Structure formats: C-alpha cells, structure tokens
Amino acid sequence: MTVFDEATAVLPAGDGRYDVKPDERFAIISGDGTTVGAVNGGVLMATVLRAVLDSSPHPHPVATSAHFLRVPRPEPAQVQVTWLKQGRTAATARATLIQDGAPVLETTVTTGRLGPAEGDAGLSWTGEPPRLPPIEECLGFGKAAKRTQFRGFAGQVDLRLDPATAGWLRGEPAGSPEMRGYFQLREDRDPDAYLLALAVDALPPVVFGLGAVGWSPTVELTWYMRAVPAPGVLRVAARCRHVSSGWFDEESEVWDSAGRLVAQSRQIARIGRGA
Amino acid sequence: MTVFDEATAVLPAGDGRYDVKPDERFAIISGDGTTVGAVNGGVLMATVLRAVLDSSPHPHPVATSAHFLRVPRPEPAQVQVTWLKQGRTAATARATLIQDGAPVLETTVTTGRLGPAEGDAGLSWTGEPPRLPPIEECLGFGKAAKRTQFRGFAGQVDLRLDPATAGWLRGEPAGSPEMRGYFQLREDRDPDAYLLALAVDALPPVVFGLGAVGWSPTVELTWYMRAVPAPGVLRVAARCRHVSSGWFDEESEVWDSAGRLVAQSRQIARIGRGA
C-alpha cells in the first residue's frame, strides 16, 4: 500500500460518515521549511471521493466541485456523505470534510460510468493534446529546490516540468501563466480516479510564470474525469485566462500514457502573498 | 421590472429559506413546440444567487458550482441557503433549490468582492479576447427558427451567432464544437451578476457544431464572476475539448462591451438524444 493510499484511506463509521486523517506526509512545505496550507487539496479531494464511491451506484466521479473553506490540520477528521439523487445515468452526493465540527472542504460529486476508450459507439471528438518535450528534457525539483521542500507533498510526487514553463525556478519567469509537466507518484502506482484528483492540482501555480510567488490558496476547484487512465506517467498542462483583483483562474488537462484526455479541471485561487 | 427579474425573484421565508417559482417564460421549447428541460438552468442559477446574495457579507458571486439533479417544473419551489463560512475575503454558502421535497439544483457559492476594473494595483493579466464579426453580420434566430421556439427562453434573449459557428441552423454543422455570439435580453436591462449567470449557458450547445442536435442536459456547471460588467451587449464564446461516452464539456467566456473578461464557465453535459 502506497503512502498516497494510506493518506486517503476512509473508515466507515455508519450513516454516511467516514473517519479520515489529513496526512502530514502530503503537507505543503514552504521554502523556509514551515508548513503552509497544511495538507494538499488534491489529497483531500481523493479522500472525499473514496467516501463517496464507497456508496455510489456508479463507479466514476464524473464531476467533482470543491470549495476549500478552512486550512485542514493533520489531525482526525470526518467525511459526511449525503446522497441527493441516485439515477440510472448519474448520481449526485454532497460530501463535506469536517474537522472540529467545522466544514473544511465542501464538495458535490456526480458519479456515472465512463465507457471504454475503445468501442465508443457514439459521437467522439478531442481537441489538440498539449505539446511537451520528452521527459528526459524536463526538470525535476531535485536540484532546484531546497531539501526542506522534500518533506510533505513534494516528497511524494515526481513532477518534471517543461523547461519552457520552469524559468521561475531560477528567478526568470516566462512572462505567461502556463505550466506543463509529467506527473507520477514517487512510489510505483498506476493512475486511477483518486490519483487524477491529485494530478489536476499538482503543478505549481500558473501565476509563477508571471513572477507571482508564494502559496496560492485554491478557493474553488471543479474537475471532470473523462476516461479511465492507462497505466504510466500522466501529462498535465495548465493555463490561465485572467488575473485581477487578487484572483486568478487555472485550467488544467491531464492526458494519460495512451494519449487520451482523462481529466480536466478549473480552479479559482488567490494570488500568493509574495506577489 | 423585466420578465427576467420577475422570473428570478425570491421571497424570504425565514431561516435561510426563500420562496421562488421557476418561470415558464424561460422554459426550453423544442422544435415541435413541446417543453423540454422545463426551465433554463441559467435562470435557476440566477434565482439561487439572489437568495445567497440576500444574506452574503460580500457582494459578488465569485465562484458558483451547480449540479443539476432533476427537471424543474414551473411551479412553486424553495431555495434553502446554509452558510458554511463567512470570512473576511470570501464567504461560502450551500444553496439548494427544492421542489416537492426533492433537491432539483444543488449549488455551492463562494462570494467575495471584485475590485474596480480601473485602479487594480495588483498583478493583472488577461488572455486573448474572442474574435467575433460585427453584430450586424451575426445571425439572430428570427428567421431560422420555428415560431413555436419563441415561446420560453428563446423569446426572452436576443442571441446573434457568429455565422462561422451557425452552419448547423441550415443543417450544415461546421465540424468543430465551437459557438460564439452576442447576448442580451430582448428587454432593455444592463448586465449584472444575475444576467451573467444566464449568459454563461445561453449559447446553443457546442456539440451542435458536430451535428449532434437535441436538448443536451447540463449535469454540472461551474462559473466564475471576474469583473462587474459594463452596460451593453455581452460577447460569449464557447469551446469544447472532449466528447466521449455520451458526455461533453463546454467552456465559455463572457466579455463585456468595454472589452473585459467578466465571466468564465465550464460545464459537463450529456449529448442530446437526437445525436
């Protein structure tokens, strides 16, 4: 069992309630070694999805919308799942991550069944895939980042950034809010719905490309699962359309090793305090 | 008072509850004159937002995520608003539209304050605006559509489509899932947050451009308000990234008459039965 699977485990406690524990092994660590944002939001979404899928009539989280309300601490918490509809094509649950009696993460999840990639008899169409250089030419964080950052989230994921979007690592932001890279866990584990929930928000914030550094807290993120991912490394590409009033949007796409679009997300976040 | 404002009115009933009535004047009418989908989803979102903003500490619905659960009928309903967080920068409410005791539309809304377009002291960046021909060269539905379609939603909004994305009107879809056009109410009314909630899903489904006709029910839609819109006609542009397994995504942007990006949305929907 990987650290990711341990960190996202849920324990049924009856009446749609699950005991969970936001895991400090996925904490966000700042450059000076202090913990910020406490626990990565993607891990929290994966945890909530495990609770939802435990009682879902359909296997795939087609649409997950998440509003991040409070900073989670690495201490016991609960997920409360309430089904609002259980239909033949789609079912929808409200699922709230609660800590010390206060909602930390409010999600609504619509589940359904995604067809096999092959043999889709219906209408099928996909836009252009992102262009990434070979993974060997991409930049890991091994040399660029300080050792302290390898505690927590950055110690669990193996991200390799397209050099064209990594200039900020050496203090030379590209001047456009884009980020592209390869994503996998450092442990050997194939992607699934839970890992996609992590992948959609795994890249550094797109505004780093504009020179805005610092932790950028996600306020809302919605992601769609579009296909069951093939084994192997994922490619993630993110762009932004608008930055103003201290808010920015970030849209990401996740493509699998077979070249299929497997997840899409969009989030709105606050610009980091260092900006 | 416009029909739109009447149709989205809310009457406080205490304890976060509001009496509302999905309005048949915004019903979706099919080509043969029958009502499908009952009432336009954007009008329902605007109604829910009125209830949320009635008790919000902040004036703007920055992030609204909506899961459409059941077909609303033009009969009395209620909106139940529950505040999950009321912070200095952002506040989040859960708001559910309920009819006959069953949830019809589940929304989560994060409110905040968007700064003035001028004088934004912080980081500011915007992507390329959509390219549209002059409104005089765009196509209204007056001649192309059957008279019956002018009851309901189509009778309330004045949409003018970019001819490049309107080939499906004469049975010649362009072959790409895009839609662009100008949007305003037929009545004289300036845009605001409520009208943006209508605008983000006002265009015909992008898959019409692929030849898939018929009503495409939205399953989930999230939209962000990015600026307070200037008076005048709105421009809306929508694209799609992936169609498969009977699902498609649609991303739209709304730009105001001053050339600012004022709203963004993304939805996932089912392909229409006619596909």
Side-chain angles (χ1 to χ4, degrees), chain B residues 153-180:
Chain B
F153 179 74
Q156 297 299 330
V157 303
D158 179 7
L159 259 186
R160 308 291 177 99
L161 289 187
D162 181 343
T165 67
W168 56 273
L169 276 170
R170 52 177 197 279
E172 297 168 17
S176 70
E178 291 178 84
M179 209 61 74
R180 288 182 296 276

Side-chain angles (χ1 to χ4, degrees), chain B residues 127-256:
Chain B
E128 282 291 304
R131 295 203 184 106
L132 278 165
I135 193 167
E136 311 83 59
E137 296 174 20
C138 290
L139 301 174
F141 288 81
K143 291 161 189 167
K146 293 179 185 165
R147 177 173 296 267
T148 49
Q149 291 180 309
F150 279 88
R151 288 192 296 120
F153 179 74
Q156 297 299 330
V157 303
D158 179 7
L159 259 186
R160 308 291 177 99
L161 289 187
D162 181 343
T165 67
W168 56 273
L169 276 170
R170 52 177 197 279
E172 297 168 17
S176 70
E178 291 178 84
M179 209 61 74
R180 288 182 296 276
Y182 293 88
F183 169 89
Q184 59 187 326
L185 287 181
R186 291 187 189 272
E187 292 184 273
D188 185 28
R189 185 190 187 281
D190 286 332
D192 60 3
Y194 307 121
L195 202 58
L196 291 179
L198 190 66
V200 293
D201 192 24
L203 294 179
V206 282
V207 289
F208 281 16
L210 295 176
V213 293
W215 185 50
S216 294
T218 300
V219 173
E220 197 275 346
L221 185 149
T222 296
W223 77 277
Y224 301 149
M225 181 172 177
R226 303 306 306 275
V228 176
V233 182
L234 299 169
R235 285 173 295 153
V236 189
R239 68 169 194 170
C240 166
R241 292 289 295 158
H242 192 55
V243 184
S244 75
S245 301
W247 299 91
F248 70 96
D249 64 286
E250 179 170 322
E251 302 168 26
S252 78
E253 290 186 356
V254 184
W255 294 67
D256 72 2

Side-chain angles (χ1 to χ4, degrees), chain A residues 142-219:
Chain A
K143 290 160 191 168
K146 292 179 186 164
R147 177 173 295 269
T148 50
Q149 290 181 308
F150 279 88
R151 291 194 292 121
F153 179 72
Q156 297 298 331
V157 303
D158 181 7
L159 260 185
R160 308 291 176 98
L161 289 186
D162 181 343
T165 67
W168 56 273
L169 275 170
R170 53 178 196 277
E172 297 167 19
S176 70
E178 291 178 83
M179 209 62 72
R180 289 183 295 276
Y182 294 88
F183 169 89
Q184 59 187 325
L185 287 182
R186 291 187 189 272
E187 293 182 273
D188 185 28
R189 184 191 188 281
D190 287 333
D192 60 4
Y194 306 121
L195 202 58
L196 291 179
L198 190 65
V200 292
D201 192 24
L203 294 179
V206 282
V207 289
F208 282 14
L210 295 175
V213 293
W215 185 51
S216 294
T218 300
V219 173

Side-chain angles (χ1 to χ4, degrees), chain A residues 69-201:
Chain A
L69 308 175
R70 294 176 176 86
V71 173
R73 286 168 298 97
E75 290 165 22
Q78 299 82 43
V79 176
Q80 179 67 49
V81 178
T82 305
W83 286 96
L84 304 171
K85 174 193 168 183
Q86 291 203 337
R88 198 176 52 86
T89 306
T92 302
R94 176 197 296 156
T96 311
L97 180 71
I98 299 161
Q99 204 164 45
D100 291 337
V104 165
L105 172 59
E106 173 81 359
T107 73
T108 312
V109 184
T110 293
T111 63
R113 179 178 292 278
L114 298 166
E118 304 77 24
D120 188 346
L123 186 64
S124 189
W125 188 92
T126 309
E128 281 292 302
R131 295 203 183 107
L132 278 166
I135 192 167
E136 313 81 60
E137 296 174 21
C138 289
L139 301 174
F141 288 80
K143 290 160 191 168
K146 292 179 186 164
R147 177 173 295 269
T148 50
Q149 290 181 308
F150 279 88
R151 291 194 292 121
F153 179 72
Q156 297 298 331
V157 303
D158 181 7
L159 260 185
R160 308 291 176 98
L161 289 186
D162 181 343
T165 67
W168 56 273
L169 275 170
R170 53 178 196 277
E172 297 167 19
S176 70
E178 291 178 83
M179 209 62 72
R180 289 183 295 276
Y182 294 88
F183 169 89
Q184 59 187 325
L185 287 182
R186 291 187 189 272
E187 293 182 273
D188 185 28
R189 184 191 188 281
D190 287 333
D192 60 4
Y194 306 121
L195 202 58
L196 291 179
L198 190 65
V200 292
D201 192 24

Side-chain angles (χ1 to χ4, degrees), chain A residues 65 67 69 85 94 106 110 115 120 125-128 220 222 224 226 241-243 245 249 253 265-266, chain B residues 65 67 85 94 106 110 115 120 125-128 220 222 224 226 241-243 245 249 253 265-266:
Chain A
S65 48
H67 291 249
L69 308 175
K85 174 193 168 183
R94 176 197 296 156
E106 173 81 359
T110 293
D120 188 346
W125 188 92
T126 309
E128 281 292 302
E220 196 277 344
T222 296
Y224 301 149
R226 304 305 307 274
R241 292 290 294 158
H242 192 55
V243 184
S245 302
D249 64 286
E253 290 185 356
S265 74
R266 183 185 270 157
Chain B
S65 48
H67 291 248
K85 174 193 169 184
R94 177 196 296 156
E106 173 80 359
T110 292
D120 188 345
W125 187 93
T126 309
E128 282 291 304
E220 197 275 346
T222 296
Y224 301 149
R226 303 306 306 275
R241 292 289 295 158
H242 192 55
V243 184
S245 301
D249 64 286
E253 290 186 356
S265 74
R266 183 185 270 157

